[in-house]
Amino acid sequence: MNRTSRLWPLVAGALILVAVWVGPLAVRAASSFAAHMIMHMAVVALAAPLLAVGLARAFPAATNRIPAGVAIVASFAEFAIVWGWHAPAPHDLARTDAFVFAVEQTSFLLAGLIVWLSALGAAGATQLRSRAAGVVALLVTSMHMTLLGALLLMSPRTLYACAEICSPLATMTPLADQQAGGVIMLIVGGSAYLVGGLACLASILNDTSARPA
């Protein structure tokens, strides 16, 4: 496998970030919670894992030396970052202030990248404990993404002042816009990390079953 074919995830991840942050979606995100959530999921569930795979292929030795505990710590750090930015005041500020919005998006990318990169490093380790840490980190992240998505979906009222101040998509009420964002997080965010965790778990089981008794 040549270098270009090995590093295509790195290029793909970078292109997704350009499309999300420079394209029309960024403009729409100021007036739609669902569009804002699409940006978030594109960053943490598409771009971040692709960039992590590309970096792991480019620097396998460095990635495999990431301590096992980093994956667990990173998963809880992402929990704090994601839930923190979805608290009403920070979220409304990110929707109305360009600088805060840039800080929010950068923190989403860094948190997601560290989780995926540390999980991949754990998956490439030889010790079972290290590889299990990567599985736990991805599954914990999947659970809190699913929980937050369900909260946004089932809330009987809008949680953000910007739902009323900002103009939502013309065909959607503010509550429906929020519920659509919850569905996107629940399905995309929950599924991406779940699939990643199960893939890492499958690699452990396959290696274990392949060992001679």
Side-chain angles (χ1 to χ4, degrees):
M1 184 183 296
N2 61 46
R3 184 174 180 82
T4 302
S5 60
R6 287 176 59 249
L7 299 184
W8 70 263
L10 204 57
V11 176
L15 290 176
I16 289 174
L17 290 178
V18 171
V20 168
W21 287 343
V22 179
L25 187 60
V27 176
R28 175 62 71 183
S31 60
S32 168
F33 181 84
H36 194 95
M37 186 61 73
I38 291 173
M39 290 189 68
H40 179 190
M41 292 300 101
V43 169
V44 302
L46 293 178
L50 285 170
L51 291 172
V53 170
L55 290 171
R57 290 181 176 182
F59 310 101
T63 304
N64 292 341
R65 284 199 297 268
I66 297 175
V70 171
I72 303 296
V73 173
S75 68
F76 284 99
E78 185 172 30
F79 167 80
I81 289 171
V82 170
W83 282 72
W85 278 113
H86 284 88
H91 176 80
D92 287 334
L93 193 57
R95 291 272 294 278
T96 55
D97 187 290
F99 175 76
V100 177
F101 175 73
V103 173
E104 176 206 52
Q105 292 295 306
T106 302
S107 66
F108 284 158
L109 175 61
L110 292 178
L113 184 58
I114 293 172
V115 169
W116 284 103
L117 195 57
S118 58
L120 289 177
T126 56
Q127 293 184 352
L128 181 60
R129 183 176 61 181
S130 297
R131 301 177 73 176
V135 174
V136 171
L138 292 174
L139 294 183
V140 165
T141 307
S142 172
M143 287 189 288
H144 83 69
M145 289 277 188
T146 301
L147 181 59
L148 182 55
L151 174 65
L152 294 167
L153 172 62
M154 295 187 295
S155 175
R157 61 180 180 82
T158 55
L159 301 176
Y160 306 105
C162 198
E164 305 296 338
I165 298 172
C166 304
S167 300
L169 291 173
T171 57
M172 302 177 70
T173 65
L175 181 59
D177 189 35
Q178 176 180 291
Q179 291 171 336
V183 171
I184 293 167
M185 170 170 268
L186 197 156
I187 294 176
V188 179
S191 298
Y193 286 90
L194 176 62
V195 170
L198 292 179
C200 291
L201 178 60
S203 70
I204 294 175
L205 297 177
N206 288 336
D207 283 355
T208 302
S209 62
R211 292 171 187 166

